[in-house]
Every structure is written in C-alpha cells, then in structure tokens.
C-alpha cells in the first residue's frame, strides 16, 4: 500500500540515499536538511510499507511554483509513484493559487519528459549546458495552472 505524505526530518537519510542513486550531482544531506526548514518549499514522499519509495518537491516564489526534484527509487519505478508525486505537487500548487509551474529537465531524460508532458507541461526554453556530469542542455518546461 502506497501513501503520499509530507516529507519530515525522519525521511532525510532515505531521501539522500535516493538522491545519490538517482542523480550524478545529488543534493547534499545538509541541503536536504535545510529544505525541511525552508518556508517556501513543499516536499512529499511516497511511502510503501514503511519505506520511502520516492520524493518530490517544489518552491513557491512570487505566485509561481518551481519543481525542484522528483525521483523514485529504481526498484519502485513504473508503479505510478512518479505520477502520484506529480499530482500532489499540482494539487498543492492549485491550493496555493500559483499561476504557473516551471521545471528543468535534462535534454536526454525521455522518461521524465514523458511524465511532465502527460501532466500538461510544455517546453518554453532551452538552457545551454546547464547540467554537469555529463554536460547537457536543460529543457525548461511550464504548466499553466487552471483555476
Ligand atoms: C522520472 C521518474 C520520477 C518517473 O517515476 P515512475 O514512478 O517510474 O513513473 P510512473 O510509474 O508514475 O509513470 C508516470 C509516467 O512517466 C512516464 N514513464 C514512466 N516510466 C517510463 C518509461 N520506462 N518509459 C517511458 N515513459 C515512462 C510515462 O509517461 C508514465 O505514464 P504512463 O504510465 O501513463 O505512460 C523516475 O523514472 C525517476 O526517478 N527517474 C530518475 C530521476 C529523474 O530523472 N527525475 C527527474 C528529474 S527532472
């Protein structure tokens, strides 16, 4: 049974582990700890049988949301958890009255792009050589939140 809930301090080690396994340039443990205190941030985890299977979060700044990250642990991918996280971030954005949500994604990350397009995001720009390890362009995507 999977549930989506707000991320807490107790989840940080598991989320850090997930970060390290999912990204070549992961967030540090310290940065993740600070995010729990960040009043502009909203983070959720998907929990399956007590284990953190995925997480995601956004920042709300000046009436806009910016997705900071979404990751699902390898063993839990393809089970709809990325979609659950996305829906929770979209619901939160509607509640907050955000007009738009933006995000960045690696040019070659077809799986993530498919998830975002499925949820109504579209490409608005390309940021050259934005990512490191390996160096790669970022696609900037946006979603206009319906009232
Ligand atoms: C991107 C990611 C979060 C998707 O999570 P997930 O739980 O596996 O995705 P879901 O099972 O919820 O699938 C949701 C949608 O994502 C897309 N998707 C998921 N797996 C896919 C695959 N193997 N191939 C193509 N599209 C895929 C599809 O659009 C899917 O919807 P559909 O099933 O109706 O086709 C996950 O692959 C991940 O953690 N990747 C590594 C970290 C990462 O790249 N994060 C994004 C950073 S911008």
């Amino acid at each position: 049974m999977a549930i989506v809930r707000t991320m807490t301090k107790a989840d940080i080690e598991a989320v850090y582990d997930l970060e390290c396994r999912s990204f070549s340039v992961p967030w540090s443990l310290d940065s993740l700890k600070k995010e729990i205190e960040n009043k502009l941030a909203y983070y959720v985890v998907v929990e399956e049988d007590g284990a953190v299977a995925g997480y995601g979060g956004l920042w709300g700044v000046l009436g806009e949301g910016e997705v900071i990250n979404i990751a699902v642990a390898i063993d839990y991918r393809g089970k709809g958890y990325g979609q659950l996280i996305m829906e929770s971030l979209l619901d939160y954005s509607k509640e907050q009255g955000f007009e738009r949500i933006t995000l960045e994604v690696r040019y070659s990350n077809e799986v993530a792009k498919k998830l975002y397009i499925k949820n109504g995001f579209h490409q608005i720009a390309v940021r050259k050589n934005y990512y490191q390890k390996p160096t790669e362009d970022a696609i900037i995507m946006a979603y206009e939140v319906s009232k």
Side-chain angles (χ1 to χ4, degrees):
M1 223 318 248
I3 56 159
V4 184
R5 59 166 177 78
T6 308
M7 183 168 91
T8 70
K9 238 182 200 168
D11 299 315
I12 294 293
E13 296 280 346
V15 168
Y16 177 63
D17 187 56
L18 215 163
E19 268 282 311
C20 292
R21 289 168 193 265
S22 300
F23 301 105
S24 59
V25 187
W27 277 54
S28 70
L29 208 49
D30 261 4
S31 304
L32 286 168
K33 282 178 186 161
K34 282 186 189 135
E35 284 301 275
I36 294 285
E37 314 292 336
N38 181 355
K39 295 206 164 35
L40 300 177
Y42 173 74
Y43 282 92
V44 293
V45 296
V46 175
E47 186 184 305
E48 187 189 285
D49 297 332
V52 172
Y55 95 107
L58 56 69
W59 288 348
V61 182
L62 299 173
E64 285 203 7
E66 182 180 350
V67 176
I68 300 301
N69 231 341
I70 293 190
V72 172
I74 291 171
D75 292 348
Y76 296 92
R77 286 183 194 161
K79 298 175 76 174
Y81 294 169
Q83 179 64 28
L84 277 181
I85 295 166
M86 194 76 236
E87 284 168 11
S88 151
L89 299 183
L90 295 182
D91 286 349
Y92 174 79
S93 299
K94 280 178 194 158
E95 280 163 29
Q96 294 295 307
F98 296 158
E99 288 181 1
R100 195 166 91 133
I101 309 171
T102 58
L103 57 80
E104 290 128 14
V105 58
R106 275 187 184 269
Y107 189 85
S108 65
N109 194 344
E110 296 299 337
V111 172
K113 281 194 284 187
K114 221 174 148 202
L115 168 69
Y116 301 144
I117 289 166
K118 179 184 168 182
N119 283 280
F121 284 81
H122 60 277
Q123 179 174 332
I124 55 166
V126 174
R127 203 162 282 165
K128 277 277 164 207
N129 300 328
Y130 178 79
Y131 290 106
Q132 295 164 359
K133 295 188 184 177
T135 301
E136 191 174 355
D137 296 350
I139 307 279
I140 315 294
M141 301 182 100
Y143 170 84
E144 316 302 328
V145 181
S146 53
K147 303 286 173 223

